[in-house]
Amino acid sequence: MKRLISERSVWPSPHFVQEHRQDMVAVCAELVTGLTSSPARLAPKYFYDALGSRLFDAITELDEYYPTRTEAAIFESRVREMARHVAAGAVWFDLGAGSCAKAASLFGVMRPGAYVPIDISVDYLRGSVAALQERHPALPMLGLGLDFSSALELPAEADAWLSGHDLRAAARCVFYPGSSIGNFAPDEALRLLGQARALCDGGGAGSGLLIGVDRVKAKAVLDLAYDDALGVTAAFNRNLLRHVNRLLGSDIQPAHWRHVAFYNEAESRIEMHLQAVGAQTVAWPGGQRTFADGERLHTENSYKWTPEAFEGLLRQAGFGEVTHWSDERGWFSVFWAQAS
Ligand code: AVI
C-alpha cells in the first residue's frame, strides 16, 4: 500500500503527454500534393482550426444535422443496458475527446476506473480535463496528445502511467462516439478498428469498443444534413481554405468557391467538395495551380453504414460479440464490440 501511494504521487492528476508534434514541412508537402492532384483534395482534418471547431459545434445544433442529437438520445435512454457490457472500473480511452462532455455524461452510470482522453493536441484538452478533474477528484486522468488517425498506439509514458496506477490489468473501454469513424474510408476504418482491438487486448477481460455509427438512410435526409438552409456547413467547408492559406501561405479566395455536398448512394457516403466559381489561379510559395470554372476540390467523405455491414467490419477487425442500440427511426447506432 505504501509503495502504491508513493508511486501514485509521482503522477499528479490530471497528467498530460504530448506525443504528436506538428511538422510544418510535412503539413505543407501534404497540402501541395493535395492541391496539385487531379482531382484536387484537402484532408478533412484541416477543417478544425479554432473557427472550424466552433462552426462544427454550430452544425451539431442545426435542425438538419441529426447525428449528434440522435446519438445523445440513444446514450441517454440506453446507458443502463450499455453498462451491463462495459466493465465498471474500466480504463476509458476517449478518441477525439474534445470537450470530454460525451464521456463525462456517462460516468455516473458507467463508473470508469480511469479516464484517458485522446486528441491531436493536449493544449485543447487541458482546460476540459482540468474542469472534469474538479468534478471527479478521485478519478485518475491522463490527457494524451496523439494523432490516432495515423496510428492508435499508446506511448511508453502512458503505459508507465497505467502501471503507476495499478491499472495495467484493468478492463479497457475504447470510446469513439460521434460517427467520426465515417470520415475514414472502409479500409482505413478497418485499420483503425484493428488498432482499437489491439488497445483493448492490452487490458484485462471485459474490454471492448463503444462506438457511434451513422446509418444509411434516405438520400433527401442525408443531403440536407450536409447542406443546411443557414449555410453553416458551407461556411465550415469554406473555412478550410482560410486555414490552408494560413498553413501554406497560399492565396485561395474562399468567396470564389461554392459548397457542394451530396449523398453518393453507390459509395454509401456523403461527399463534400468546393467548386470553383470562375477560372482561377491559386499560388503558394514555390508553386501554383489553375482551376477551371466548375472544377472541384474534394474535402470530405462521410461514410454511412448498415448495422450488418458495420458488424461485419468489427468482426473483420477481430472483435467478438457485438451488440447495438439504435433510435426508433433507425438513423444512428451505438455498437458495443467485445474484444475477446
Ligand atoms: C466529424 N464528422 C463525424 C462529421 C460528419 O458528419 O461526417 C463532420 C461533418 N462534416 C460536415 N458536417 C459534419
Side-chain angles (χ1 to χ4, degrees):
M1 190 62 188
K2 209 172 179 182
R3 188 181 63 85
L4 204 68
I5 288 168
S6 63
E7 274 183 2
R8 281 186 184 188
S9 63
V10 172
W11 302 100
S13 196
H15 183 69
F16 294 96
V17 176
Q18 178 68 52
E19 192 67 4
H20 174 75
R21 307 250 166 248
Q22 196 171 47
D23 171 355
M24 282 316 293
V25 174
V27 166
C28 290
E30 183 191 338
L31 293 174
V32 168
T33 301
L35 282 171
T36 52
S37 297
S38 278
R41 56 185 157 73
L42 290 169
K45 65 183 170 191
Y46 296 112
F47 283 134
Y48 301 97
D49 64 349
L51 178 57
S53 299
R54 284 201 207 105
L55 286 167
F56 179 68
D57 285 346
I59 286 174
T60 66
E61 310 245 328
L62 294 169
D63 291 342
E64 296 95 328
Y65 193 77
Y66 61 84
T68 312
R69 83 179 67 88
T70 309
E71 182 187 55
I74 296 170
F75 276 120
E76 206 180 312
S77 59
R78 313 302 280 275
V79 62
R80 283 178 199 284
E81 285 169 49
M82 293 176 192
R84 286 189 217 127
H85 298 266
V86 184
V91 179
W92 276 52
F93 295 88
D94 186 356
L95 307 188
S99 72
C100 307
K102 287 186 187 178
S105 73
L106 305 175
F107 284 180
V109 177
M110 297 287 197
R111 317 209 77 70
Y115 179 54
V116 183
I118 302 177
D119 219 302
I120 194 156
S121 157
V122 144
D123 292 336
Y124 187 61
L125 288 175
R126 268 180 214 282
S128 37
V129 176
L132 192 60
Q133 185 77 79
E134 273 189 29
R135 281 164 47 209
H136 300 272
L139 186 65
M141 295 188 193
L142 168 69
L144 265 187
L146 196 72
D147 181 8
F148 64 86
S149 67
S150 29
L152 175 58
E153 223 174 90
L154 284 192
E157 200 175 334
D159 267 330
W161 183 89
L162 288 168
S163 301
H165 288 82
D166 247 8
L167 289 165
R168 280 307 303 265
R172 295 177 175 186
C173 171
V174 177
F175 182 56
Y176 195 28
S179 70
S180 297
I181 192 71
N183 297 128
F184 293 86
D187 59 328
E188 297 165 349
L190 179 60
R191 180 186 47 79
L192 179 58
L193 293 177
Q195 291 173 349
R197 220 278 327 258
L199 181 57
C200 289
D201 285 349
S207 297
L209 168 71
L210 190 62
I211 183 168
V213 180
D214 196 15
R215 288 173 52 171
V216 168
K217 62 184 63 63
K219 177 171 165 58
V221 175
L222 286 163
D223 283 347
L224 276 180
Y226 291 82
D227 196 3
D228 58 281
L230 290 179
V232 180
T233 311
F236 173 72
N237 199 6
R238 274 198 214 96
N239 177 63
L240 173 99
L241 301 176
R242 287 177 69 244
H243 190 200
V244 168
N245 281 344
R246 270 204 320 280
L247 292 168
L248 185 60
S250 49
D251 62 356
I252 316 174
Q253 302 293 314
H256 295 170
W257 294 83
R258 187 169 78 82
H259 170 65
V260 174
F262 56 86
Y263 184 55
N264 177 337
E265 284 175 293
E267 298 285 346
S268 298
R269 70 185 189 202
I270 284 284
E271 290 184 17
M272 293 217 313
H273 303 261
L274 288 162
Q275 183 168 315
V277 180
Q280 52 200 286
T281 297
V282 167
W284 56 87
Q288 63 172 49
R289 170 169 184 174
T290 298
F291 289 89
D293 180 31
E295 199 171 346
R296 285 179 182 173
L297 212 164
H298 194 163
T299 53
E300 185 176 54
N301 289 322
S302 189
Y303 283 83
K304 308 303 168 189
W305 292 88
T306 63
E308 298 73 26
F310 198 76
E311 179 168 343
L313 196 71
L314 288 166
R315 291 201 187 281
Q316 244 185 298
F319 285 98
E321 199 185 309
V322 174
T323 312
H324 85 101
W325 299 269
S326 136
D327 57 300
E328 273 172 11
R329 294 183 292 197
W331 281 10
F332 198 96
S333 286
V334 176
F335 286 81
W336 167 254
Q338 191 89 27
S340 46

